């Protein structure tokens, strides 16, 4: 009797194992069949997609163009729309580093000082060489946002400054494009060196920094203000610069709508 029960138990265990194995194998087989079915459906969908006459064939000549910087006109439009300032961040691939931007800032500072100097010397007595030798530079990379459209533009915000013996600070603040280094705006404080007769040519440093001919400044339209002048300059590509010039204090030049 005990032997019969033992054989019965063994037979039940065997049948249970066979059932579990069958269920496992069946599940794997069904999953495999479903994968094959899905692949077949995707292939049919692809054929239907590419054979649809509504889609046009696009030939990409160079993959490099995909990651190329946007045109200046497009970037200026982004610049004018992005007003909220983000936190300082690190440099990403494809962007100019702090050393490269500092060099651009130094060149623009030198060009701006020379613009206000006669024979290498400012009206206030300092030589351009002395100012450049004792100047300090700071650069910070930030993203600027347009909360309405979700657009974003990265800018290097740089400042060159020099402290005179009397404690007054000459400085140049600039906003550069993070990838190509174009100058979107600059503000220069040189106090007694900001003479009224230089206002018509105040566009020149920014023009040269962006590859425009400095002679374009002759097209500027200036209007007298309480402190000096305001002005506009329309460039050949349709972009527009604006100037706010406070005599004996400072002035700013930037792209505008």
């Amino acid at each position: 009797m005990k032997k019969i029960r033992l054989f019965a138990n063994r037979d039940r265990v065997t049948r249970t194992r066979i059932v579990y194995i069958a269920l496992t194998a069946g599940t794997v087989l069904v999953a495999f069949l479903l994968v094959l079915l899905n692949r077949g459906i995707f292939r049919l969908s692809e054929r239907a997609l590419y054979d649809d006459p509504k889609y046009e064939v696009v030939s990409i000549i160079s993959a490099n163009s995909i990651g190329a910087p946007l045109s200046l006109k497009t970037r200026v439009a982004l610049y004018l729309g992005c007003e909220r300032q983000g936190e300082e961040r690190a440099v990403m691939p494809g962007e100019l580093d702090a050393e490269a931007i500092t060099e651009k800032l130094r060149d623009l500072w030198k060009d701006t000082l020379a613009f206000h100097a006669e024979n290498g010397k400012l009206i206030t007595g300092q030589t351009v060489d002395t100012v450049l030798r004792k100047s300090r530079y700071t650069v910070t990379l930030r993203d600027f946002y347009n909360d309405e459209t979700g657009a974003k533009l990265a800018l290097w915000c740089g400042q060159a400054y020099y402290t005179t013996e009397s404690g007054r600070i000459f400085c140049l603040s600039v906003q550069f494009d993070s990838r190509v280094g174009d100058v979107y705006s600059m503000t220069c404080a040189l106090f007694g060196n900001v003479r009224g007769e230089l206002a018509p040519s105040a566009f020149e440093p920014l023009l040269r920094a962006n590859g425009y001919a400095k002679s374009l400044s002759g097209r500027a339209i200036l209007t007298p203000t309480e402190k000096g002048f305001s002005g506009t300059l329309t460039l050949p590509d349709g972009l527009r610069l604006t100037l706010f010039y406070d005599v004996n204090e400072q002035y700013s030049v930037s792209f505008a709508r």
Side-chain angles (χ1 to χ4, degrees):
M1 189 67 177
K2 289 183 179 180
K3 291 182 178 181
I4 294 174
R5 289 179 179 177
L6 181 60
F7 281 121
N9 289 336
R10 288 179 178 176
D11 189 52
R12 186 181 298 109
V13 171
T14 301
R15 289 199 303 270
T16 300
R17 288 178 177 174
I18 292 173
V19 170
Y20 281 129
I21 293 172
L23 287 174
T24 302
T27 301
V28 173
L29 179 61
V30 170
F32 181 73
L33 292 174
L34 288 175
V35 170
L36 290 178
L37 179 62
N38 285 334
R39 291 188 62 182
I41 293 174
F42 288 147
R43 287 180 178 178
L44 291 174
S45 298
E46 287 179 343
R47 290 177 182 176
L49 175 66
Y50 293 124
D51 291 338
D52 193 332
K54 294 180 181 178
Y55 289 84
E56 298 179 357
V57 177
V58 178
S59 298
I60 300 177
I61 298 175
S62 172
N64 291 332
S65 63
I66 297 176
L70 299 172
S71 68
L72 178 59
K73 184 172 292 187
T74 301
R75 287 184 281 113
V76 167
L78 287 172
Y79 169 75
L80 296 175
C82 295
E83 298 179 346
R84 182 170 62 84
Q85 176 179 291
E87 297 294 328
E88 180 180 356
R89 67 166 175 81
V91 180
M92 298 180 65
E95 293 181 315
L96 297 172
D97 59 20
E99 183 178 354
I101 286 296
T102 300
E103 188 63 29
K104 285 183 173 293
L105 177 60
R106 186 181 292 110
D107 289 342
L108 184 56
W109 183 222
K110 179 179 179 181
D111 196 21
T112 302
L113 290 171
F115 168 73
H116 290 279
E118 293 182 356
N119 299 320
K121 191 174 185 179
L122 297 171
I123 294 296
T124 49
Q126 300 84 2
T127 64
V128 171
D129 289 340
T130 298
V131 175
L132 289 174
R133 189 173 62 254
K134 296 184 178 181
S135 290
R136 296 186 179 183
Y137 305 89
T138 62
V139 293
T140 303
L141 179 61
R142 300 178 186 275
D143 290 322
F144 287 75
Y145 301 87
N146 184 323
D147 291 327
E148 293 184 3
T149 64
K152 179 177 71 172
L153 182 67
L155 301 177
W156 275 106
C157 303
Q159 187 173 70
Y161 60 96
Y162 162 80
T163 304
T164 66
E165 293 181 358
S166 63
R168 181 163 265 181
I169 298 176
F170 294 166
C171 70
L172 175 69
S173 300
V174 189
Q175 290 182 316
F176 296 94
D177 184 273
S178 69
R179 297 189 65 185
V180 296
D182 288 333
V183 177
Y184 294 119
S185 73
M186 56 176 283
T187 299
C188 180
L190 287 174
F191 304 99
N193 300 290
V194 182
R195 294 168 287 158
E197 61 269 26
L198 294 176
S201 303
F203 294 96
E204 291 183 8
L206 187 144
L207 288 172
R208 284 196 292 266
N210 288 340
Y212 293 101
K214 68 176 185 179
S215 58
L216 291 174
S217 63
R219 302 181 182 182
I221 300 174
L222 298 185
T223 302
T225 64
E226 184 178 347
K227 291 187 176 182
F229 302 91
S230 64
T232 59
L233 172 60
T234 301
L235 302 174
D237 54 13
L239 293 175
R240 182 170 170 267
L241 296 176
T242 185
L243 166 71
F244 295 99
Y245 197 93
D246 295 341
V247 176
N248 292 324
E249 293 183 17
Q250 65 179 19
Y251 66 93
S252 63
V253 183
S254 65
F255 283 103
R257 290 180 176 82

